[in-house]
Amino acid sequence: MRRATIALASAMAAVSLSACSVVDSIGGADSSASPKKGDDITVGLLLPEKENSRYEKFDYPIIKKQVAELTNQKGKVTYANAEADPGKQNTQLQQMIDAKVDVILLDAVDSKAIASGVKKAKDAGIPVIAYDRLAQGPIDAYISFDNELVGEVQGRALIEALGTRAAKSKVVMMNGSASDPNAAQFKAGALSQLQGVVQIVKSYDTKGWKVKYAKANMKDAISAVGLGDIDAVYSANDGLAGAVIDTLKTAGVSKVPPVTGQDAELDGVQRVISGDQYMSVYKSYPDEASAAAELAVYKVQGRGIEFEALTGDLVDSPTNKGIPSRMVPVVTLKKDNIKETVVQEGIYTVKQICTDKYKSDCAAIGLK
Ligand code: BGC
């Protein structure tokens, strides 16, 4: 049902966008819209952290480029990164309200703590669109990936890796930050596959998604379970997977057990190629970030029909019901589909992935 809605929304978006470009090409504005503003707009973008490279390498530059393209190069993006500090993000949000930006794209560090700031923006007449993480408070729309599906894909991959050993296998869970609602969805998706199938011997939430905490938690798991007795690690993203694998290696593991990840970070992809990391999940940053830029611009310009076409799904947050939303699908990334995913989408070149250290691993899977 939910997936049918997604497919329908995408189809509607395609129809609506092509219809719009026809109108544009003959020089008119969309007659169905009541534009509030022209192209000279400012989009405020609040991203949560820098420890994972996606935000500064993909999300921000793609949103910036798309906003410019959608506004004849006149629209601007004001960007701030909270570096995993909820207080800092509240201040940054307030600064954007004071600067009277036209719309805010918000990827919350702490979805609950930011709710009062969202309300302030709303009261100041500034729409807020939740980006990637569903912030609480009166937000206007939500754009993200299908986060529960991310967890399901990760969980299923571990079971596949363990094969007939699954029932006897001891699995450690390295989850994301408790203040990020996505982390709860990744965990729920993974548990829907793992529970009752493997033995979950330890489970940690990683404060602020920080590598240093993941390392400490992994050390704790090793001393509690025993290095040789950990058969697999569910790791919510590539940053945490790197920490888990490092800690296992430092402890002297003879063979790294299957470890999951997400984000297709460059070093994550390289670990998948070398066999240190079992899989990652590729989430198309161009799809998510472009749609976010479109939503922001349509909202400010009062292009309601196009806005609705992009947000055909509805989600609830703990504070608000029926939020118009869009969920972008995700893809498992393994050794055999690196070319079809990150290379084909222009995320990395083969040259970037296959550095000297990975030359022979790349050759072994025919990546050239
Ligand atoms: C994002 C992931 C990211 C994590 C840490 C999540 O909300 O969806 O892509 O790895 O936060 O920043």
Side-chain angles (χ1 to χ4, degrees):
M1 172 71 180
R2 192 161 58 114
R3 302 213 198 293
T5 320
I6 295 167
L8 184 62
S10 317
M12 282 166 65
V15 170
S16 146
L17 292 178
S18 55
C20 157
S21 55
V22 171
V23 175
D24 281 351
S25 67
I26 54 170
D30 184 344
S31 58
S32 59
S34 50
K36 287 185 191 160
K37 276 211 124 190
D39 284 337
D40 191 9
I41 62 171
T42 305
V43 177
L45 173 65
L46 292 162
L47 294 181
E49 52 112 340
K50 291 185 175 171
E51 206 148 321
N52 293 285
S53 71
R54 59 165 289 186
Y55 301 108
E56 308 234 304
K57 220 157 133 187
F58 304 113
D59 298 277
Y60 170 43
I62 299 172
I63 289 172
K64 191 174 163 192
K65 185 162 169 270
Q66 284 298 318
V67 167
E69 269 172 28
L70 291 161
T71 57
N72 296 307
Q73 309 298 321
K74 291 194 181 114
K76 288 186 192 59
V77 174
T78 305
Y79 163 61
N81 189 303
E83 295 177 78
D85 178 344
K88 189 167 178 176
Q89 189 165 60
N90 258 312
T91 308
Q92 292 171 336
L93 175 56
Q94 186 59 52
Q95 282 162 349
M96 291 198 177
I97 297 171
D98 295 343
K100 298 192 169 49
V101 299
D102 295 300
V103 58
I104 292 172
L105 285 172
L106 166 66
D107 193 341
V109 175
D110 184 323
S111 60
K112 200 171 172 184
I114 203 75
S116 58
V118 173
K119 167 109 185 7
K120 279 189 201 159
K122 191 82 188 168
D123 291 345
I126 303 172
V128 181
I129 296 168
Y131 181 66
D132 203 78
R133 301 179 183 175
L134 183 53
Q136 296 187 20
I139 58 165
D140 290 81
Y142 172 50
I143 165 96
S144 190
F145 294 97
D146 189 333
N147 294 309
E148 190 140 349
L149 180 62
V150 171
E152 281 171 31
V153 164
Q154 293 169 321
R156 227 177 293 143
L158 273 195
I159 289 168
E160 172 199 284
L162 293 167
T164 52
R165 299 183 290 136
K168 288 200 184 112
S169 294
K170 292 185 176 162
V171 176
V172 172
M173 291 189 83
M174 201 61 69
N175 306 296
S177 165
S179 67
D180 173 357
N182 289 354
Q185 286 184 300
F186 301 146
K187 197 199 304 191
L191 282 174
S192 75
Q193 304 298 308
L194 298 172
Q195 232 159 18
V197 180
V198 298
Q199 299 169 35
I200 299 167
V201 286
K202 276 274 177 189
S203 181
Y204 304 89
D205 290 341
T206 314
K207 197 170 170 229
W209 287 94
K210 292 205 167 156
V211 162
K212 65 175 181 190
Y213 297 124
K215 284 191 171 167
N217 290 335
M218 198 57 212
K219 267 193 192 157
D220 180 73
I222 292 170
S223 52
V225 184
L227 183 62
D229 285 336
I230 297 172
D231 298 301
V233 181
Y234 163 81
S235 158
N237 78 355
D238 288 348
L240 304 185
V244 164
I245 293 165
D246 271 3
T247 312
L248 286 166
K249 284 188 170 177
T250 308
V253 80
S254 50
K255 189 178 179 306
V256 179
V259 178
T260 58
Q262 138 178 225
D263 287 341
E265 291 269 322
L266 183 56
D267 50 5
V269 173
Q270 289 170 326
R271 284 192 299 266
V272 169
I273 289 176
S274 72
D276 271 350
Q277 186 175 322
Y278 185 67
M279 57 85 77
S280 183
V281 178
Y282 174 58
K283 312 193 293 187
S284 171
Y285 303 117
D287 284 357
E288 185 187 37
S290 305
E294 284 173 55
L295 285 179
V297 171
Y298 295 161
K299 188 76 197 171
V300 177
Q301 295 184 339
R303 291 157 71 174
I305 291 178
E306 286 139 298
F307 187 89
E308 276 168 32
L310 276 180
T311 51
D313 216 357
L314 293 178
V315 293
D316 297 339
S317 79
T319 57
N320 290 64
K321 299 253 173 291
I323 300 160
S325 67
R326 180 176 185 80
M327 302 295 150
V328 179
V330 301
V331 187
T332 311
L333 182 136
K334 288 176 75 184
K335 273 188 189 186
D336 58 3
N337 67 346
I338 286 166
K339 198 152 205 172
E340 294 73 38
T341 52
V342 286
V343 175
Q344 230 162 54
E345 277 226 343
I347 302 296
Y348 309 119
T349 59
V350 171
K351 204 171 153 206
Q352 283 172 316
I353 300 170
C354 300
T355 52
D356 284 348
K357 188 172 168 198
Y358 298 96
K359 278 248 152 64
S360 60
D361 294 321
C362 283
I365 56 166
L367 187 63
K368 49 180 185 257

